[in-house]
Amino acid sequence: QVQLVESGGGLVQAGGSLRLSCAASGRTFSNYAMGWFRQAPGKEREFVAAINWRGGNPYYADFVKGRFTISRDNAKNAVYLQMNSLRPEDTADYYCAVGENSWSVTLREVGYWGKGTLVTVSS
């Protein structure tokens, strides 16, 4: 059974940092792109960041560029999201996702979802 388990969420003050982790089990995803999405209360789920199967070519939503960094460790079957300079508007449930190909992850092309981890940024 495939599982993606996120961790690292929590409450942080504006300007602070958090590091999210996503551990996959049940199969190896080293040949697939992986990414992060988020969903704030009352809003639709949106793309945050993704990285290809080699760990290269990371790409980000404009609203996190320069603040968030995505990385992966294929040996650990894991993906990470380092979040710096957090803002209250970053408050959301953050979801790990595995893409359907090696190069990209989009909202409509997700093979597996995690259950999410809550990030709350206080002002």
Side-chain angles (χ1 to χ4, degrees):
Q1 181 181 359
V2 172
Q3 280 192 313
L4 300 178
V5 179
E6 300 94 336
S7 61
L11 175 63
V12 64
Q13 287 189 332
S17 298
L18 285 174
R19 186 177 187 246
L20 304 184
S21 299
C22 172
S25 61
R27 64 171 290 183
T28 299
F29 292 112
S30 57
N31 291 327
Y32 291 87
M34 298 184 76
W36 290 92
F37 294 76
R38 71 185 188 185
Q39 188 166 15
K43 295 188 177 181
E44 294 186 351
R45 191 168 298 189
E46 61 184 358
F47 169 79
V48 175
I51 192 166
N52 70 23
W53 70 284
R54 294 177 177 172
N57 195 33
Y59 56 101
Y60 303 90
D62 286 344
F63 52 77
V64 303
K65 282 182 181 177
R67 301 188 298 124
F68 291 9
T69 302
I70 188 172
S71 61
R72 67 187 294 167
D73 185 338
N74 285 342
K76 295 183 178 179
N77 217 20
V79 64
Y80 309 97
L81 186 68
Q82 177 66 43
M83 305 187 297
N84 298 330
S85 302
L86 283 161
R87 304 166 180 168
E89 54 264 39
D90 294 319
T91 295
D93 285 304
Y94 282 73
Y95 297 88
C96 171
V98 177
E100 296 182 338
N101 61 66
S102 297
W103 303 103
S104 65
V105 185
T106 67
L107 197 57
R108 290 187 171 85
E109 295 178 319
V110 172
Y112 298 96
W113 288 103
K115 293 186 177 181
T117 185
L118 177 62
V119 171
T120 304
V121 185
S122 63
S123 56

